[in-house]
Amino acid sequence: LGEQVQLTQEHNASNPDERSRIQGEHPGEDDAVQFVDASGSWYVKGTLQVSRAIGDLFLKDRTFHSALPDHVRPFVGGELKTPPYVSIRPDVIERKLEEKDLFLVLASDGLWDELTNEQCAAAMTAMGAAVGLAKRSKAASGSWVDELGRGGETRQEREAAESIDEMLREEGELTHPSSRLLWTALRENPVAQRFGLQFVLNIEQGAGRRQVHDDISIVVLWLRPPPQ
């Protein structure tokens, strides 16, 4: 599959670097970040995992926090002593592109909850094989297809990829990378693994589905010509 490079770190309170940053910005406030036993994770002010965001104003400004209903306020961070607790500062990463760099996947945490970097790259590899480009790799010598040639899969992985190929073919999205990643993520979801993908799809979108998986948004940026 080649090398997968993770360009960003997770911006949440479970990340030790982010947790240290928040604690350093709010010295003496033991509740700036809290560990919640029920979920086994760290949270900003005990209520929000995300540590950098455009929204979530109730942890940035006393006015918005005070506007919350009285019965809600104790459960969304308690008293704001030294806001903001959630930062709007972006975490900027620079990388010089190389010839071997093929694509960039930008996605919300809903995708990465279900897929590892390796699984993401494998799904993209499967797409190249599905449209038959791998078979023409000799004719397209030097193209990205040579580097995405499918191989080394287990029988189970191959059958799973083929089932997704069939699904995408029926939807006319065989060469749509975001659709492939989405369906791959849903298939890898623990509930789908136990009860089947259709069980998950039958759950009405909204609060019920959010109990099974987070929202998933995906953009794939091709750094070299994509498959046609």
Side-chain angles (χ1 to χ4, degrees):
L1 295 180
E3 180 186 10
Q4 304 93 44
V5 180
Q6 181 172 321
L7 296 180
T8 63
Q9 60 174 333
E10 294 192 14
H11 299 137
N12 62 48
S14 292
N15 181 331
D17 291 338
E18 286 293 281
R19 195 159 63 247
S20 295
R21 177 184 62 78
I22 296 171
Q23 292 169 331
E25 293 175 353
H26 306 279
E29 294 186 48
D30 294 336
D31 65 346
V33 287
Q34 301 174 44
F35 185 80
V36 178
D37 292 328
S39 63
S41 298
W42 289 87
Y43 290 78
V44 179
K45 294 291 286 184
T47 187
L48 185 72
Q49 282 193 303
V50 174
S51 58
R52 300 182 192 234
I54 296 176
D56 298 308
L57 298 179
F58 70 96
L59 289 179
K60 295 178 178 177
D61 190 285
R62 292 189 180 91
T63 302
F64 289 95
H65 189 270
S66 299
L68 295 170
D70 291 340
H71 68 281
V72 172
R73 201 174 305 130
F75 301 99
V76 289
E79 179 186 1
L80 299 191
K81 299 176 183 178
T82 57
Y85 294 89
V86 176
S87 176
I88 63 172
R89 293 196 304 272
D91 190 11
V92 179
I93 297 94
E94 294 185 6
R95 173 182 171 85
K96 184 176 180 180
L97 293 179
E98 301 177 3
E99 183 66 21
K100 65 180 181 180
D101 294 330
L102 308 177
F103 52 82
L104 175 68
V105 177
L106 305 172
S108 63
D109 55 350
L111 179 71
W112 309 115
D113 286 343
E114 313 297 344
L115 298 182
T116 64
N117 294 335
E118 291 74 20
Q119 288 172 315
C120 177
M124 296 292 288
T125 298
M127 187 188 70
V131 296
L133 290 178
K135 297 179 181 179
R136 301 202 299 271
S137 61
K138 291 184 179 179
S141 179
S143 73
W144 72 276
V145 180
D146 296 307
E147 300 164 49
L148 286 183
R150 178 184 287 179
E153 298 172 308
T154 66
R155 178 180 178 181
Q156 182 179 11
E157 291 171 336
R158 184 169 59 255
E159 291 177 348
E162 290 171 352
S163 69
I164 291 180
D165 289 349
E166 184 61 30
M167 184 183 303
L168 293 173
R169 188 177 292 108
E170 293 176 359
E171 298 294 328
E173 298 181 340
L174 189 63
T175 61
H176 197 298
S178 296
S179 293
R180 178 173 294 277
L181 291 174
L182 173 62
W183 286 110
T184 302
L186 291 177
R187 179 175 57 79
E188 292 295 327
N189 177 270
V191 175
Q193 290 282 308
R194 182 174 181 182
F195 298 104
L197 179 57
Q198 194 58 49
F199 176 86
V200 173
L201 298 179
N202 287 340
I203 301 174
E204 184 178 357
Q205 295 185 23
R209 184 76 76 83
R210 282 294 299 272
Q211 298 298 315
V212 175
H213 68 79
D214 202 350
D215 293 337
I216 301 176
S217 299
I218 307 168
V219 175
V220 176
L221 175 64
W222 295 104
L223 305 178
R224 293 168 66 180
Q228 302 295 328

